Amino acid sequence: VGQCGNQVGCRFWDLALREHANVNKKGIYDEALSSFFRNVDTRSGGDGPDTYKEKICSLKARALLIDMEEGVVNEILQGPLRDVFDGKQLITDVSGSGNNWAVGHKLYGSRYQENLVEKLRKAAEHCDCLQCFFIIHSMGGGTGSGLGTFVLKLLEDEFPEVYRFVTSIYPSGEDDVITSPYNSVLAMKELNEHADCVLPIENESLFGIVNKVHQMANSGKLGSTVKQNSLVTSSAGSAKTVQEKPFDAMNNILANLLLNLTSSARFEGSLNMDLNEISMNLVPFPRLHYLVSSLTPLYTLADVNVPSRRLDQMFSDAFSRDHQLIQADPKHSLYLACALLVRGNVQVSDLRRNIERLKPSLHFVSWNQEGWKTGLCSVPPVGHSHSLLALANNTCVKPTFIELKDRFMKLYKKKAHLHHYLHVDGMEQSCFSEAISSLSDLIEEYNELDATKGGPRTDPSRLKI
Amino acid sequence: MSIITVQLGQCGNQIGHEVFNTICSDVRDTHGLCSKKENESYRDACKERFFCEEQSEVPVARAVLVDMEPKVISQTLSMAARSGYWKYDDGSHFCQKQGSGNNWANGYSVHGPRHKEVIMNLVQKEAEKCDRLGGFFTIMSMAGGTGSGLGAFVTQCLRDAFPTSFLLNHVIWPYSTGEVIVQNYNSVLTLSHLYKSADALLVHENDVVHKICAQLMNIKQISFRDINQVIAHQLGSVFQPTYTADGGLHYSRNPLGDLMETLVPHPEFKMLGLRNIPQMPENSLAYSTFSWPGLTKHLRQMLIANAKMEEGIDWQVQPPRLGSSIPSNHSTNKPLHFNTSLANLVILRGKDMHSVDLGSFRDPSLYTSWLNPEDAFHSWKTLRAFNKYEKSASLVSNSQFLLKPLDNVVGKAWNMFASKAYIHQYTKFGIEEEDFLDSFTALEQVISSYTSL
């Protein structure tokens, strides 16, 4: 939803095709492909059922592209991915949301509600078994933030049993949209109440990764040529080759995040990890569903041999701030739970060895001292022999939320720009007070957990029979 | 009599596949190191037990495969078929797309009732293929959602539908440092429910098998496949044909029944541990020789000291001396770390097993006081060597082997339960706090019973 959401989405579909093409040499439409794509026989109008085990005719993304401006979506439809989407999967408008959450949520929400429900139902009907919705959006603007969270609420109402994963780009302190704190906090309330899992992302982190990769790729050090298609930031080998736009590198990182997140659900492995397992294991209390993600490796060197030392380095990197997609400090905060999704030629002993090695330097909450969820997927990402995605439910997200709250309060106290919101039909002052209250409650929940950190460990006495 | 194997969830299906592989490969092996007649007898008994051969070129495993997601079963079926030596029946599997999300409640309360009919129909179909049904062997992990939750439900259904058949659950204990965060909840719920329906629970602990792979098998990068192959070898060493009576003329026809009769005299005590020696890399076998006295001595000490494998056995631990003035059921009479048994079964495979003296296993000081040692100890034997091991000795024990692991799991689960973490994920599917409390109570009772042995 929105400009950011669609730009990331575009990269995602491109890299998804690349990943499947890498694995699926025979061009047969298989179960792995069917998780994200439909196989459409364009002769029959594209509404027939999917055909497994047959040759790929025309792959269509299981997606809805929503934007209240036409520019980004039009560009996608004219670019190399145009055949991956069909016209019935779009909802666009002309004037945009003016960076106003209320316009996105209340105005466009009510205007497009029926249309949205209809298109969602249609897309769901094309699925044998619908497990999960992914929403990609940014928090700081108007469409992604406002309409995006409207769609989230709609999904909960219409499909209550289907998991809702949200990838949210949080604005930085120097964001050039003045009202981004309003938009973000208003959106946070919706995320608190209606999302199963949220992966908060910060541009600063993506930017840092892009720089790091760039340095490495161009350092020209002897013996350190990097495999181009292995860069977490690159589009090499995908449909979109030359014309790289400024945000492409950063968006590729997010696309890779989503691919790794779903790898074990799509491909085989010795210890599968489905999306519903991620939600089950990483969310101990309903509202504490914000996960810090980190990806490694960011690139692979062209020399192939991978001694196990380098494998262990991959695990260490996953716990280094350089590889996180959000600016936070999990090592000095409290882990509630942690998931490790490994891809490629990595076995359970490698996993166990590294968990033992890293555990002592991490603080886990007293009732979850061994709070590790692990998954092993046999298929590595393109260009790599193995990779690791770490998802942590950690109180280190608290400072991000506190900062957001502070920026909100700075504006709100002066009632700056408030009238732009209150003018919108359906928007009232209470929306603001409820939103900030929801955020404060969330921060308080994290505070209570933090208070237990480092305290004396008294296990509750057991049942006496 | 035939055993029907029910493979539940990813773990159950992966292990089940290795078990049939091992059994099949053992039977095909011409190194049985015994007479041709003996070999044929063994093979026939094994085939009756585990395979069906009508209308098929290769033996068809007597198994039902169940999983809530498709990838594992699909792989399992094709790997078996590709081996060329055996396969699964094409119609004997059931899967869904969603998975159970590691949620016991989802497996038990949602998938169970929803798919009960289809699954039990598959079981019924397999049962009808058997001339005589000896019972069920279910394989599952306690940590996840399908094997554990749906597995507990299916076990209950099996008990209801086949009240007089024997029912043995093979349960995999997860790594103690996390495979699944909610594994302790899932384990507590699974164990308490299985206890009500099953005749016995045969346990393998991932941590233990992992150590065997590392230290005895010398495997550097241990995969789940390696782990499952060790487990399959150990299970094969118990369930391949044996003579249960000295001087018996034919292989026993009722292994599950015999197992229950010898090892489960009391319904409060159903936890069985398994030890198998020797265990070593295949390429070392040719250079090793074994003696029965050596093997049985080690096995006995492993029993007494609760050693999980043949390395690092604590030889200091000795049984308490009988005839002392302290009453024998006084808990301080027993030295620390001594593993008290309720009942034991030793299985010997290989030449000259007739000469083995197992009297040391009949020592009354090994056992709790309220059973006659003559009734508490049994042995099964066969000349026929198993799985390329010239001599192989297994111990199936109903003792305090699993007391500590059980206590650990219950303790950790209780700790988490006190904070109410993750409970909302279970109540969402109909498992309430009271259900948890019932399970905790049931397991504390089991712990208490085993402690007072």
Side-chain angles (χ1 to χ4, degrees):
Chain A
V1 186
Q3 172 175 18
C4 173
N6 279 289
Q7 281 173 335
V8 175
C10 177
R11 299 314 314 131
F12 169 74
W13 291 111
D14 201 4
L15 292 185
L17 284 169
R18 182 180 77 162
E19 179 165 275
H20 281 278
N22 203 36
V23 173
N24 189 340
K25 300 293 183 196
K26 299 192 190 152
I28 302 288
Y29 179 67
D30 59 9
E31 288 242 18
L33 261 178
S34 77
S35 59
F36 281 127
F37 297 94
R38 294 168 46 213
N39 190 23
V40 165
D41 186 348
T42 37
R43 291 167 301 173
S44 66
D47 263 352
D50 289 340
T51 41
Y52 288 124
K53 309 250 194 308
E54 306 212 350
K55 283 231 101 153
I56 294 172
C57 301
S58 171
L59 291 175
K60 295 281 181 215
R62 298 187 193 276
L64 227 60
L65 283 66
I66 304 170
D67 201 354
M68 295 297 98
E69 279 175 328
E70 293 181 310
V72 178
V73 174
N74 278 347
E75 214 186 296
I76 296 177
L77 294 178
Q78 282 155 20
L81 289 179
R82 59 181 163 275
D83 291 325
V84 175
F85 306 102
D86 80 46
K88 299 179 240 165
Q89 296 167 247
L90 319 167
I91 297 181
T92 55
D93 203 315
V94 230
S95 7
S97 304
N99 286 325
N100 186 328
W101 184 91
V103 171
H105 196 94
K106 304 281 184 187
L107 180 73
Y108 287 122
S110 55
R111 181 183 299 180
Y112 287 103
Q113 177 162 349
E114 228 176 278
N115 196 347
L116 279 164
V117 174
E118 195 198 306
K119 296 209 152 97
L120 286 169
R121 292 224 155 272
K122 207 65 206 292
E125 267 159 42
H126 282 133
C127 302
D128 259 340
C129 177
L130 178 57
Q131 184 179 73
C132 179
F133 287 109
F134 278 111
I135 296 183
I136 311 175
H137 73 148
S138 75
M139 300 280 278
T143 303
S145 176
L147 187 55
T149 49
F150 180 83
V151 171
L152 176 64
K153 203 156 62 173
L154 205 62
L155 291 176
E156 187 178 42
D157 291 335
E158 297 290 318
F159 307 90
E161 283 164 18
V162 181
Y163 288 91
R164 296 170 292 284
F165 271 74
V166 188
T167 309
S168 306
I169 319 296
Y170 278 66
S172 71
E174 301 87 38
D175 198 88
D176 48 4
V177 174
I178 302 178
T179 49
S180 67
Y182 282 164
N183 297 330
S184 303
V185 173
L186 288 162
M188 274 289 288
K189 172 169 177 291
E190 307 300 315
L191 293 183
N192 281 343
E193 292 174 18
H194 307 295
D196 287 309
C197 255
V198 177
L199 299 167
I201 313 284
E202 284 177 316
N203 274 343
E204 282 148 77
S205 297
L206 298 180
F207 200 57
I209 291 175
V210 169
N211 277 343
K212 194 166 170 193
V213 171
H214 194 71
Q215 263 176 5
M216 193 56 216
N218 296 328
S219 71
K221 271 203 292 226
L222 273 176
S224 64
T225 38
V226 174
K227 286 206 265 184
Q228 278 306 303
N229 63 356
S230 75
L231 303 179
V232 73
T233 50
S234 115
S235 312
S238 66
K240 174 172 195 164
T241 39
V242 192
Q243 279 287 335
E244 291 222 2
K245 310 274 287 295
F247 282 106
D248 274 356
M250 289 163 71
N251 293 341
N252 280 334
I253 300 173
L254 276 184
N256 279 310
L257 167 70
L258 290 173
L259 285 175
N260 286 338
L261 189 64
T262 56
S263 58
S264 188
R266 290 175 291 136
F267 301 117
E268 41 147 66
S270 62
L271 190 57
N272 295 341
M273 169 140 67
D274 228 330
L275 292 164
N276 49 10
E277 294 175 31
I278 293 176
S279 168
M280 172 70 178
N281 285 284
L282 292 175
V283 184
F285 300 101
R287 291 207 307 173
L288 302 183
H289 53 243
Y290 294 85
L291 308 179
V292 176
S293 48
S294 45
L295 275 179
T296 155
L298 303 177
Y299 50 79
T300 289
L301 300 181
D303 54 324
V304 182
N305 285 335
V306 184
S308 81
R309 229 177 342 114
R310 209 175 278 177
L311 190 59
D312 287 9
Q313 184 59 45
M314 179 177 80
F315 281 89
S316 300
D317 284 342
F319 289 89
S320 126
R321 297 183 66 167
D322 288 345
H323 290 251
Q324 284 167 209
L325 303 189
I326 175 177
Q327 305 276 298
D329 191 6
K331 277 199 171 154
H332 292 106
S333 308
L334 196 59
Y335 277 89
L336 304 182
C338 189
L340 298 175
L341 269 125
V342 188
R343 297 180 68 172
N345 183 18
V346 183
Q347 301 302 341
V348 65
S349 55
D350 302 311
L351 202 48
R352 302 241 63 77
R353 179 179 70 247
N354 281 288
I355 290 179
E356 291 303 312
R357 190 171 61 83
L358 293 165
K359 229 169 49 153
S361 60
L362 307 170
H363 306 283
F364 273 82
V365 73
S366 67
W367 42 260
N368 209 359
Q369 291 282 300
E370 279 114 14
W372 296 90
K373 163 72 180 154
T374 55
L376 293 166
C377 171
S378 318
V379 177
V382 173
H384 297 281
S385 55
H386 48 259
S387 77
L388 172 61
L389 164 66
L391 293 172
N393 192 339
N394 187 305
T395 57
C396 67
V397 291
K398 196 179 67 176
T400 307
F401 296 154
I402 292 178
E403 261 178 55
L404 194 59
K405 180 177 168 185
D406 289 343
R407 277 185 259 136
F408 175 97
M409 292 310 288
K410 256 201 191 130
L411 291 175
Y412 192 58
K413 280 202 180 106
K414 294 186 261 169
K415 300 203 193 301
H417 305 282
L418 220 48
H419 55 286
H420 288 137
Y421 290 76
L422 298 175
H423 268 161
V424 178
D425 215 8
M427 192 70 183
E428 295 171 13
Q429 187 105 15
S430 59
C431 296
F432 280 85
S433 47
E434 277 166 22
I436 199 67
S437 161
S438 170
L439 183 56
S440 299
D441 287 345
L442 182 67
I443 292 172
E444 193 44 42
E445 266 192 73
Y446 281 110
N447 273 335
E448 276 167 33
L449 283 164
D450 268 337
T452 66
K453 181 168 173 258
R457 183 92 192 266
T458 42
D459 289 339
S461 42
R462 296 265 291 271
L463 271 184
K464 301 249 185 310
I465 39 109
Chain B
M1 283 176 126
S2 309
I3 298 176
I4 294 177
T5 301
V6 183
Q7 306 179 182
L8 297 149
Q10 171 164 28
C11 175
N13 280 290
Q14 285 175 187
I15 290 182
H17 169 251
E18 293 299 340
V19 170
F20 284 108
N21 247 359
T22 301
I23 289 177
C24 209
S25 138
D26 175 45
V27 158
R28 269 183 6 252
D29 194 359
T30 46
H31 294 302
L33 300 178
C34 57
S35 70
K36 188 159 172 237
K37 182 160 176 282
E38 189 70 58
N39 221 14
E40 276 173 12
S41 234
Y42 184 81
R43 199 189 56 210
D44 291 340
C46 170
K47 287 221 170 131
E48 180 200 45
R49 203 172 277 195
F50 294 112
F51 297 94
C52 180
E53 252 175 310
E54 37 183 292
Q55 300 157 354
S56 170
E57 284 158 17
V58 285
V60 178
R62 299 187 189 276
V64 175
L65 292 71
V66 179
D67 201 357
M68 291 297 100
E69 62 119 328
K71 301 193 291 291
V72 182
I73 286 188
S74 156
Q75 243 197 323
T76 305
L77 289 174
S78 71
M79 283 199 298
R82 275 207 306 266
S83 76
Y85 293 117
W86 66 281
K87 62 177 206 169
Y88 288 103
D89 185 327
D90 289 324
S92 287
H93 65 268
F94 174 71
C95 57
Q96 291 289 278
K97 305 236 177 190
Q98 276 261 27
S100 300
N102 286 167
N103 191 323
W104 193 92
N106 195 7
Y108 186 84
S109 307
V110 177
H111 291 309
R114 192 179 285 173
H115 305 301
K116 175 180 174 176
E117 215 179 302
V118 179
I119 295 173
M120 290 312 284
N121 277 344
L122 288 179
V123 173
Q124 190 62 43
K125 230 175 58 171
E126 276 300 323
E128 275 157 28
K129 285 199 270 178
C130 304
D131 274 337
R132 278 171 72 206
L133 178 60
F136 299 93
F137 180 63
T138 72
I139 313 180
M140 70 239 279
S141 136
M142 306 198 292
T146 299
S148 73
L150 178 60
F153 186 84
V154 167
T155 301
Q156 217 167 285
C157 295
L158 288 173
R159 173 52 78 215
D160 292 336
F162 301 88
T164 54
S165 292
F166 294 104
L167 183 44
L168 176 66
N169 290 125
H170 179 232
V171 179
I172 302 300
W173 216 266
Y175 284 99
S176 58
T177 51
E179 283 172 36
V180 169
I181 292 175
V182 291
Q183 64 189 40
N184 296 312
Y185 279 168
N186 292 339
S187 300
V188 164
L189 290 164
T190 304
L191 289 170
S192 58
H193 276 79
L194 291 183
Y195 229 79
K196 289 190 275 199
S197 326
D199 289 309
L201 279 60
L202 182 61
V203 174
H204 266 110
E205 299 166 74
N206 271 352
D207 281 308
V208 172
V209 182
H210 191 107
K211 276 219 185 90
I212 291 177
C213 287
Q215 295 179 241
L216 297 182
M217 310 294 280
N218 284 331
I219 302 173
K220 293 280 175 272
Q221 198 189 22
I222 300 167
S223 66
F224 271 115
R225 184 132 192 267
D226 298 317
I227 304 243
N228 294 344
Q229 284 175 342
V230 170
I231 292 177
H233 172 87
Q234 297 205 345
L235 288 174
S237 77
V238 173
F239 291 111
Q240 284 292 58
T242 54
Y243 295 93
T244 46
D246 272 334
L249 293 171
H250 48 173
Y251 282 108
S252 146
R253 306 286 298 280
N254 187 9
L256 286 182
D258 294 334
L259 197 80
M260 302 310 172
E261 207 185 333
T262 57
L263 290 174
V264 191
H266 190 294
E268 188 61 19
F269 298 88
K270 291 182 180 175
M271 308 282 295
L272 306 179
L274 173 50
R275 302 282 183 270
N276 166 265
I277 60 173
Q279 196 109 56
M280 60 184 53
E282 199 175 309
N283 48 21
S284 303
L285 279 175
Y287 307 106
S288 317
T289 46
F290 313 103
S291 74
W292 284 121
L295 287 174
T296 51
K297 188 166 174 217
H298 279 212
L299 203 57
R300 182 177 182 269
Q301 192 59 25
M302 284 167 73
L303 168 64
I304 293 173
N306 197 355
K308 311 280 190 176
M309 57 178 187
E310 211 178 346
E311 218 164 281
I313 302 176
D314 185 351
W315 290 91
Q316 300 296 330
V317 179
Q318 287 302 317
R321 271 178 311 155
L322 286 186
S324 61
S325 55
I326 305 168
S328 59
N329 59 3
H330 192 294
S331 59
T332 62
N333 189 35
K334 304 236 154 65
L336 277 174
H337 311 308
F338 172 71
N339 179 47
T340 309
S341 299
L342 179 54
N344 287 311
L345 168 65
V346 166
I347 303 168
L348 303 176
R349 299 175 185 274
K351 64 180 185 184
D352 301 331
M353 49 65 179
H354 293 300
S355 62
V356 183
D357 175 13
L358 291 170
S360 60
F361 280 93
R362 288 195 187 86
D363 181 352
S365 65
L366 265 53
Y367 297 93
T368 187
S369 56
W370 44 269
L371 250 197
N372 192 337
E374 291 302 309
D375 298 325
F377 177 74
H378 292 83
S379 66
W380 298 350
K381 301 176 187 160
T382 172
L383 276 176
R384 209 265 188 194
F386 169 66
N387 209 17
K388 303 194 177 67
Y389 281 79
E390 176 201 90
K391 295 188 177 75
S392 170
S394 297
L395 167 70
V396 187
S397 175
N398 191 343
S399 65
Q400 294 172 321
F401 265 171
L402 293 157
L403 181 50
K404 193 145 177 283
L406 182 59
D407 192 59
N408 279 343
V409 163
V410 172
K412 287 188 213 169
W414 184 249
N415 202 7
M416 192 181 268
F417 184 67
S419 71
K420 300 284 174 277
Y422 299 103
I423 299 295
H424 72 286
Q425 307 270 16
Y426 291 85
T427 52
K428 194 162 64 163
F429 293 110
I431 295 295
E432 308 291 333
E433 286 188 31
E434 296 92 71
D435 299 306
F436 275 92
L437 284 171
D438 287 342
S439 290
F440 279 115
T441 309
L443 292 183
E444 293 286 6
Q445 179 64 57
V446 174
I447 291 171
S448 166
S449 302
Y450 272 99
T451 308
S452 65
L453 268 188

